[in-house]
């Protein structure tokens, strides 16, 4: 597992993820369990999938970074490593392996101790050198050998997908703000404003409070402003946004959130920034509460081309 742009992800073999889009993820002891969505955007024949773990119990355990998968010169050429796997009780098992038959994409790990065995369910276990991952097991050949994808290959493909894919919106303004009123899921809002008008009237911004869609063709960063219905400032601690990921619309990528306490909503201060997951979920998680009268959401880029779409925004 690793943190990237405010989200928790997990790398795992494609054959372990299976064909269903949702999986359960369980940590080592003390065991925490959560759900995740899975995508397999990598080249055909690569046994690699990426799980997008829901915000929740696992967040505090998700402490590694994507860069940890990029080995140093020392770890890349190491002859000995420890294969780490987690059993059904959440206990860590560390098996010494000897690295042999290293090629461009893979290496073979051979157990050092005769008493050890590579059991069924080893796929997805990582080999480590000095706590640095060097490869992920994808298959075994008997009880003494396993084939590993090299971690630099995992890093290369995941980093390309998460960091290079998408388009950034130019910094130019996309026009004056339009304004709508309506009811909001989460904290109630009195006003909606946006600088990027809906592509069609039926795709207006008020749809983010219902089962509809807000759809726009951005010519720059998309700014959404919401005034709290309360007569005074209200504590805000979380923002959630969803976007349809299976369809013709672009999914937002980089999102920043600012808050303002003045009644007119002219003096915004940055609060938090992160990325919407490629499967269309953005969740700041629980943050220290900040007082606000206005919440401003700025969408700075998208994962793909086309009209941008949102189907729900919730502020708590």
């Amino acid at each position: 597992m690793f943190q990237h742009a405010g989200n928790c992800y997990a790398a795992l073999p494609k054959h372990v993820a299976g064909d269903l889009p949702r999986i359960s993820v369980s940590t080592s002891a003390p065991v925490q369990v959560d759900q995740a969505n899975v995508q397999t955007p990598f080249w055909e024949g690569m046994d690699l999938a990426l799980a997008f773990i829901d915000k929740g119990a696992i967040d505090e355990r998700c402490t590694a970074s994507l860069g940890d998968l990029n080995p140093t010169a020392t770890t890349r050429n190491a002859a000995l490593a420890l294969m780490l796997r987690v059993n059904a009780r959440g206990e860590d098992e560390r098996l010494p392996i000897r690295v042999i038959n290293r090629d461009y994409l893979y290496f073979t790990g051979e157990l050092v101790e005769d008493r050890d065995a590579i059991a069924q369910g080893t796929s997805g276990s990582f080999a480590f050198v000095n706590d640095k991952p060097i490869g992920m097991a994808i298959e075994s050949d008997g009880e003494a050998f396993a084939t590993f994808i090299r971690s630099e290959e995992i890093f290369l493909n995941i980093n390309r997908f998460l960091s290079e894919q998408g388009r950034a919106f130019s910094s130019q303004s996309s026009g004056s703000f339009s304004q709508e009123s309506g009811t909001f899921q989460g904290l109630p809002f009195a006003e909606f404003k946006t600088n990027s008008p809906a592509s069609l009237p039926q795709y207006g911004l008020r749809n983010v409070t219902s089962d509809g869609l807000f759809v726009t063709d951005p010519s720059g960063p998309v700014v959404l402003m919401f005034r709290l219905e309360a007569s005074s400032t209200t504590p805000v601690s979380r923002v959630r946004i969803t976007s349809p990921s299976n369809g013709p619309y672009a999914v937002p990528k980089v999102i920043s959130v600012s808050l303002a306490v003045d009644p007119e909503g002219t003096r915004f201060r940055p609060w938090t920034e992160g990325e919407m997951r490629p499967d269309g979920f953005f969740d700041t998680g629980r943050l220290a509460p900040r007082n606000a009268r206005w919440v401003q959401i700025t969408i700075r880029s998208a994962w793909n081309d086309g009209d941008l779409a949102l189907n729900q925004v919730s502020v708590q």
Side-chain angles (χ1 to χ4, degrees), residues 128-189:
F128 291 84
V129 174
N130 298 328
D131 296 324
K132 190 85 169 177
I134 64 169
M136 180 179 70
I138 56 171
E139 62 182 10
S140 61
D141 182 10
E143 293 187 348
F145 297 91
T147 300
F148 293 77
I149 301 178
R150 294 175 59 166
S151 64
E152 54 263 58
E153 189 67 20
I154 299 172
F155 171 79
L156 174 69
N157 284 273
I158 290 179
N159 184 60
R160 180 184 299 158
F161 177 68
L162 291 180
S163 301
E164 297 180 15
Q165 181 173 325
R167 58 174 178 137
F169 299 145
S170 63
S171 59
Q172 68 186 31
S173 171
S174 55
S176 59
F177 282 83
S178 61
Q179 180 173 325
E180 300 179 38
S181 297
T183 307
F184 214 67
Q185 290 198 0
L187 291 173
F189 277 65

Side-chain angles (χ1 to χ4, degrees), residues 263-304:
E264 294 77 21
T266 58
R267 297 192 295 274
F268 283 94
R269 293 187 176 183
W271 185 40
T272 188
E273 182 172 293
E275 285 187 4
M276 176 172 279
R277 300 178 339 196
D279 58 347
F281 288 88
F282 175 83
D283 188 346
T284 64
R286 293 281 179 193
L287 302 176
R290 294 271 296 272
N291 286 334
R293 280 192 172 93
W294 290 83
V295 177
Q296 178 176 280
I297 295 168
T298 303
I299 301 170
R300 303 189 181 279
S301 62
W303 284 100
N304 44 347

